[in-house]
Amino acid sequence: MFSSKDKGAGTHYDTLISSKTEIVGDVKFTGGLHVDGVIKGNLVAEAGSGAVVRISDKGQVEGQITAPNVIINGRVVGDVHAGEYIELAKKAQVNGDVYYQAMEMVLGAEVNGKLHHQTKGDVRKKAEPEVKVDVPDAKVD
């Protein structure tokens, strides 16, 4: 079983968004990103980069998160796309859909949205609605 000790504790965090910081706009990152503050925008890390984003119990993100590894113990309003692994800790609150390959969800975590399991290399696109046309038999006199 995965745990934060396996994925998060040994991770070096290159960037810290402090609890006294609010960022408005998208954040593109590599390596480790630790969020104690507020981000109003999307968090994006390149797929396969091994990047890790950790949202602490004081942290909040209002936007979409796309990263290989995601650890949430704070509040996220938006969809989360974890390319490899996601951990939803005790105080996690996600208001949006979660796309994942491997997930650990601790008692107390909340997801107000759908969970979408994906296999490696699975790219899910929204299916286009099927259109049915009922054409009655036409008779020509």
Side-chain angles (χ1 to χ4, degrees):
M1 186 81 169
F2 296 109
S3 74
S4 60
K5 294 175 187 166
D6 297 331
K7 281 287 186 185
T11 301
H12 171 76
Y13 291 97
D14 304 296
T15 307
L16 168 66
I17 308 299
S18 101
S19 60
K20 298 177 181 181
T21 303
E22 179 177 310
I23 295 176
V24 178
D26 294 347
V27 176
K28 294 182 182 178
F29 69 97
T30 58
L33 172 64
H34 184 95
V35 179
D36 283 337
V38 177
I39 298 176
K40 294 182 179 181
N42 300 321
L43 290 179
V44 181
E46 191 173 315
S49 66
V52 178
V53 59
R54 177 191 294 255
I55 313 300
S56 78
D57 60 341
K58 298 175 263 183
Q60 180 175 320
V61 175
E62 296 176 20
Q64 182 171 291
I65 298 174
T66 304
N69 301 292
V70 181
I71 301 168
I72 300 173
N73 197 25
R75 188 164 184 261
V76 175
V77 179
D79 293 348
V80 179
H81 298 264
E84 297 172 16
Y85 171 83
I86 185 168
E87 177 183 331
L88 300 173
K90 184 177 182 177
K91 296 180 181 178
Q93 292 181 333
V94 178
N95 292 306
D97 291 352
V98 176
Y99 299 82
Y100 67 96
Q101 283 187 29
M103 177 173 53
E104 178 180 355
M105 187 170 179
V106 178
L107 182 65
E110 294 178 27
V111 175
N112 298 305
K114 295 181 181 179
L115 299 175
H116 303 273
H117 180 260
Q118 297 180 310
T119 58
K120 193 168 186 159
D122 185 11
V123 179
R124 295 197 183 204
K125 296 180 181 175
K126 290 185 178 179
E128 293 187 25
E130 185 178 318
V131 178
K132 290 186 178 182
V133 179
D134 188 22
V135 180
D137 291 338
K139 293 185 181 180
V140 179
D141 290 319

